Amino acid sequence: MSTARVICAGFGGQGVMSMGQLLTYAGMLENKEVSWLPSYGPEMRGGTANCAVTVSDHEVGSPLITDDATAAILMNLPAFHKFQKDVVPGGKILVNSSLIKEKVERTDVDVYYIDANDIAAELGNPKVANMIMLGAYLGVSGTVEVDSVLEAFKKVFGERKAKFIPLNREALEKGIEATRK
């Protein structure tokens, strides 16, 4: 990996910011250069939310990702419409197909449809849909290791939430698995 420039997008409450933070902290734990730039509406839940994450072997010049994302993780339909155009040819678009029924029309990118909400329901916790999507991204990109994300989980959510690591490991693995189908 040289440089991964990832857009994570959806609505507030889907764990979009957490997904970006986990990816960023995992990169830090692997001694990579990183940046995380959040952007969200004034609403606490339900409003638009997205973040730009860069994980690189080199210094990160700018945290902005406008039309040069190597990947986009799209959790809802407005994010699907807004951000798929920002992925470079040859990049990856991961679509939460539980909530997005439309198909990517571009032919110059790799597209993965992940039933994240449905898989999360099967795991018994709808809150892990974001981890399923993050796992899918890791499965197709190899940007960071799953174990680094789980170590980062303690940094992002604190030691009190460490009891949820086994569930989140399973969610990440289910996401990786979903990209192989």
Side-chain angles (χ1 to χ4, degrees):
M1 180 210 70
S2 181
T3 299
R5 296 175 57 76
V6 185
I7 296 170
C8 304
F11 54 77
Q14 284 186 300
V16 170
M17 298 303 176
S18 300
M19 197 176 357
Q21 287 178 312
L22 289 168
L23 189 54
T24 303
Y25 272 108
M28 286 173 54
L29 291 171
E30 294 182 9
N31 295 313
K32 297 179 180 178
E33 301 292 325
V34 299
S35 73
W36 174 71
L37 183 64
S39 174
Y40 41 90
E43 308 88 352
M44 197 62 142
R45 292 200 175 277
T48 60
N50 68 80
C51 62
V53 174
T54 304
V55 179
S56 182
D57 295 328
H58 313 286
E59 281 188 16
V60 176
S62 169
L64 293 177
I65 298 175
T66 51
D67 59 358
D68 59 347
T70 58
I73 303 171
L74 308 174
M75 296 293 288
N76 68 0
L77 193 58
F80 176 86
H81 287 143
K82 183 173 183 177
F83 292 107
Q84 64 174 301
K85 68 178 177 13
D86 293 332
V87 177
V88 297
K92 297 168 183 5
I93 299 176
L94 293 95
V95 177
N96 179 1
S97 57
S98 293
L99 299 180
I100 303 167
K101 301 305 177 196
E102 293 183 28
K103 300 294 182 195
V104 174
E105 293 182 9
R106 293 179 59 182
T107 58
D108 62 344
V109 292
D110 297 325
V111 182
Y112 303 88
Y113 297 97
I114 311 297
D115 291 325
N117 290 61
D118 298 338
I119 296 168
E122 289 170 16
L123 291 175
N125 190 330
K127 291 182 178 181
V128 297
N130 65 331
M131 295 299 279
I132 292 162
M133 292 299 288
L134 181 56
Y137 171 71
L138 297 179
V140 300
S141 71
T143 300
V144 295
E145 298 296 323
V146 168
D147 287 338
S148 298
V149 171
L150 294 170
E151 187 61 33
F153 188 91
K154 296 176 208 167
K155 299 272 188 212
V156 173
F157 297 108
E159 288 292 334
R160 287 189 358 223
K161 302 282 184 173
K163 63 185 176 189
F164 296 111
I165 289 177
L167 171 63
N168 283 276
R169 176 183 292 281
E170 188 176 4
L172 290 167
E173 289 170 357
K174 290 284 186 183
I176 292 167
E177 215 175 275
T179 63
R180 296 191 177 132
K181 292 181 180 178

